Amino acid sequence: MDSVADGEAAERRERDPDYLRAAVEESFFLAVGAAWYWIDRDKNAVDWDFDSWTQRFDRSAFRFDNNRFQVNWIFHPFAGSSYYGFARANELHAGWAFAYTFLTSFLWEWLLEFKERVSINDQIATPVGGMALGEFWTKLSWWLHHRGTTPARSAAAWTLGLGVRAHQAIDGEGPEAAALAGMHARFRLNLGASVVLDGHAPDVVGTVGFEGRIVDLRGWHRDGTFSRRFGDANFASLRGSAGLGESGGSFALEADTLVAGFHAQALRGDLATAPGVLPGAVYGASATVAAAIGYSYRRTDYGGYGERLGVIHLPGFGFESVLAHGLTRLRFSLRGHGDFASADVDGAYQRWADAHPDARTKTILERESYFYGWGASARIGLELEVGRFHTGVRAAVGQWWSHEGLDRTQEAVTDDVEAVARRVAIDHWARVELPRGLHVEARYQELRRRDRVGAEQVGERRLRRVGIAVGITR
């Protein structure tokens, strides 16, 4: 078996990293943010904690904030993805892009917002969530740039891939076919309907879903035998879904990135076939082991089931393998992470608050009914493909414990009660691939939550959905 060192992704690079321009662009983000911060002074002043800039040097300056859930778990990770994406668009290595993202976030929190406490949660969610999200957007930008041969793709390159496309236009460099040699992309879009089985009554919900994966590793799942190290965040995935019905709606977003690791394969035939093409016979196996990071956001409100959950999957373990024999493939994936998370505990907290009317606890619990904490999660997936028929199951489990002692107004807390959230999710599907990249699929999903606030107050909830969808793969 041939062994190849890291550096295959670098073959795609068309120019050297531009560290200076990346720094200038990050400074521009800070300048725009600072202008907004002071123009909208009256609104932002409600979060001011300090009278003097010198108070930034005290340990008490570093606390968890008490902002709204979507601000902490949508705005900040997406802002981080912009910082990260523009650094990557300047051809910086993933490690350097993360460093730029972290520094930009820190300067914003510590220097420009000098009248506020430094938000610990933002310092985690912005750079790590930004990298997990931003790596997919960056790879999509490169892919769209090099494939922008139609008006639709060119428009997408200037919107979804603005950083890369703008830099390429400024530098006067056009697409090169050779740049795609190591890049494989697969996107799936679904439209359908599902029935929510739990709640006040069954509810029919319209659904939309997206899955995308981009691998930047020469020879990946092509005919051949080799082993290869990688270290430039070469595997990036993004999965999103939304639903809307009479009883409520849902939105979920999940990003996964394999940052550095090792890939080996021994294949006779191509696993990476074009969408809609009946796969040919393939024999052999592949395996990838890597350090992985991730980001998850979920907001659901269907009748009797409500949920707000945001998770930063800290560097952990990632493993993937494929076994192929003829027209049959068996795919397996595993992730294991330590996590930083926020989870709502609405029901359990309200019962605790009713039982302790005179207690003052974390302001994030009192104001928003969620907590910041640490924990662990694992995800496992198994998929069987036989020709055009695919079936699989994906299970995820996580548990998170609140962090005590660092509330924004910790000095006023009289009962720093512990909160715990546990979540189990199962997703099973069966899919038939049709010609021209079309497919039809049936899906069953089950979510279970168990929350605890204090020693006794426990809340449990469950959601089951059955659905069908049609879609297209590209």
Side-chain angles (χ1 to χ4, degrees), residues 52-349:
S52 170
W53 185 78
T54 59
Q55 293 173 276
R56 313 296 283 159
F57 297 95
D58 190 274
R59 286 182 58 187
S60 64
F62 294 82
R63 297 282 179 86
F64 293 115
D65 68 32
N66 50 20
N67 291 334
R68 297 181 64 83
F69 194 83
Q70 59 267 31
V71 172
N72 283 327
W73 289 99
I74 289 291
F75 177 79
H76 282 287
F78 271 79
S81 72
S82 297
Y83 306 156
Y84 181 88
F86 270 81
R88 287 287 268 163
N90 280 289
E91 305 295 346
L92 270 64
H93 185 276
W96 278 108
F98 176 81
Y100 273 56
T101 305
F102 178 84
L103 182 60
T104 302
S105 176
F106 181 78
L107 289 175
W108 170 264
E109 292 285 337
W110 191 80
L111 184 62
L112 296 182
E113 288 186 329
F114 66 89
K115 284 185 171 290
E116 299 181 29
R117 298 186 189 274
V118 176
S119 172
I120 298 173
N121 48 284
D122 290 347
Q123 283 300 103
I124 300 171
T126 302
V128 184
M131 183 179 187
L133 288 165
E135 188 58 43
F136 179 83
W137 296 124
T138 298
K139 284 181 167 42
L140 179 62
S141 300
W142 284 326
W143 189 85
L144 286 169
H145 168 69
H146 293 295
R147 289 186 179 270
T149 55
T150 67
R153 287 177 176 173
S154 294
W158 276 104
T159 52
L160 299 175
L162 175 62
V164 169
R165 192 68 186 91
H167 286 162
Q168 299 287 3
I170 293 171
D171 297 333
E173 297 171 347
E176 295 182 5
L180 288 173
M183 185 171 286
H184 173 76
R186 180 62 55 93
F187 311 105
R188 180 176 290 118
L189 179 66
N190 290 334
L191 294 174
S194 64
V195 178
V196 177
L197 301 177
D198 297 284
H200 303 301
D203 183 20
V204 177
V205 175
T207 60
V208 59
F210 169 81
E211 297 178 28
R213 189 173 208 212
I214 306 177
V215 177
D216 191 6
L217 192 70
R218 187 177 296 277
W220 180 80
H221 282 185
R222 299 293 186 184
D223 182 42
T225 298
F226 66 88
S227 63
R228 180 164 295 147
R229 298 190 303 273
F230 61 90
D232 197 22
N234 302 63
F235 295 69
S237 304
L238 186 72
R239 182 193 308 263
S241 64
L244 184 63
E246 290 187 2
S247 66
S250 65
F251 177 73
L253 190 64
E254 181 179 303
D256 174 71
T257 299
L258 298 184
V259 179
F262 181 80
H263 173 80
Q265 67 178 57
L267 296 172
R268 287 191 291 120
D270 283 350
L271 280 174
T273 56
V277 177
L278 182 65
V282 180
Y283 298 87
S286 76
T288 306
V289 60
I293 63 168
Y295 159 84
S296 298
Y297 173 89
R298 303 181 188 280
R299 183 150 192 168
T300 305
D301 185 10
Y302 286 126
Y305 186 94
E307 178 180 41
R308 289 173 294 159
L309 179 67
V311 184
I312 296 297
H313 300 291
L314 301 170
F317 175 77
F319 176 77
E320 301 177 358
S321 67
V322 180
L323 299 176
H325 186 82
L327 298 181
T328 302
R329 295 98 162 88
L330 182 64
R331 301 177 185 269
F332 174 79
S333 65
L334 177 67
R335 298 289 188 274
H337 297 272
D339 297 331
F340 174 73
S342 288
D344 73 294
V345 286
D346 291 320
Y349 170 69

Side-chain angles (χ1 to χ4, degrees), residues 393-413:
V393 62
R394 187 171 183 261
V397 60
Q399 183 159 324
W400 307 277
W401 293 262
S402 63
H403 189 122
E404 280 70 60
L406 289 174
D407 185 69
R408 185 170 194 162
T409 59
Q410 185 66 35
E411 293 74 15
V413 172

